[in-house]
Amino acid sequence: MIVVTGAAGFIASCLVTRLNEANFNDIVVVDNFSIAKKENNLKGKKIKEYVDRMEFFSWLEKNYEEVEFIFHLGARTDTTEFNKDIFDLLNLNYSKQMWNACCEYQIPLVYASSAATYGSGKLGYDDDETIIPLLHPLNPYGDSKNDFDKWVLEQTAKPFFWAGLKFFNVYGPNEYHKGRMASVVLHAFKQIQETGKLKLFRSHNPDFKDGEQMRDFIYVKDVVEVCYFLMQNRKHSGIYNLGSGKARTFLDLAFQTFQAMGREAEIDFVDTPSDIRDTYQYFTEANMQKLRDAGYDKPFHTLEEGVQDYVKHYLLEGKYF
């Protein structure tokens, strides 16, 4: 059996599809299944068992001998949430419990970290584990992910294979439920569909023109492909970046979305909301050499390829992956 936590969410539900495509059908999905707007993310997938996240460790104690691999992708991911207690509970302490269980039962583990750990990017975006204790994330979400990475690196007990993945700006199908935390592509699509126009955040940084803030946007299909690779190649444990390796502007993304929808581009700029303005990242770009050195050799979707696929095959048709 393969366990996927956060399975009703965006990235994890896409991973379940990828595993099914490879004929892995004994999937145990773990989540809080009371959120109705996530239900379609798992509809039609081959799943062995549904386990509530708060009952998972009791379940694992009884079933660990049958578990081949755990993908721990469940987390509170709201970067505008400032209640540290929520992150301590769901991100930090739950993940420590997961790590300890994988050590005890010797189950290989891939877990979700985040590019939010890099903060302002002052120290760059290299997944060199020696800089992790020096990083200063910009919000409690980033802190919770970095705190767990730091804790992991301090442990003497480790699963025989483990990997932490610092997800950069992931976009793609199955994020309909995410609201404000959805990708810019989904927000752009909805705005263009409703108004024919798109609003982007104005730059409040003199080094960047409006719309030229840059992010490393990575298509979710690439993310789950890397997860699948790590499950199949359990050789090089460590913390890895997971982005496309190429920063692109929000204007690039906007123009691609208009084009995929067959619309003329019409863009207005609005002030970045005050509650996130001081913690806003103006540039992110993953150094992907470490993953390449570990043997991952597939190309990543370009922004053009990813946006075209997402808009034409999912958003315009209202489909799930």
Side-chain angles (χ1 to χ4, degrees), residues 161-163 229-230 233-240 293-295:
F161 172 76
W162 64 275
F229 165 82
L230 291 169
N233 298 270
R234 307 169 189 185
K235 291 176 187 165
H236 304 285
S237 295
I239 296 173
Y240 292 89
D293 290 344

Side-chain angles (χ1 to χ4, degrees), residues 113-130:
S113 183
S114 171
T117 56
Y118 288 115
S120 65
K122 198 184 299 181
L123 297 176
Y125 297 95
D126 290 347
D127 45 8
D128 175 352
E129 291 168 13
T130 63

Side-chain angles (χ1 to χ4, degrees), residues 99 102-103 106 152-162:
W99 177 274
C102 288
C103 290
Q106 278 305 295
V152 160
L153 295 175
E154 291 166 358
Q155 300 312 297
T156 50
K158 293 178 167 62
F160 71 87
F161 172 76
W162 64 275

Side-chain angles (χ1 to χ4, degrees), residues 1 34 49 54 57 89-90 92 102 104 113 146 153 158 175 194 211 216 218 287 298 308 312 314:
M1 294 189 290
S34 66
E49 198 168 344
M54 291 316 190
F57 294 107
L89 174 70
L90 296 178
L92 183 57
C102 288
E104 182 181 350
S113 183
N146 201 53
L153 295 175
K158 293 178 167 62
E175 59 168 338
E194 290 165 13
D216 189 330
I218 180 162
N287 179 343
K298 291 193 174 183
Q308 293 286 323
K312 289 181 174 175
Y314 300 95

Side-chain angles (χ1 to χ4, degrees), residues 8 55 133 189 200:
E55 295 167 8
F189 176 83
L200 290 178

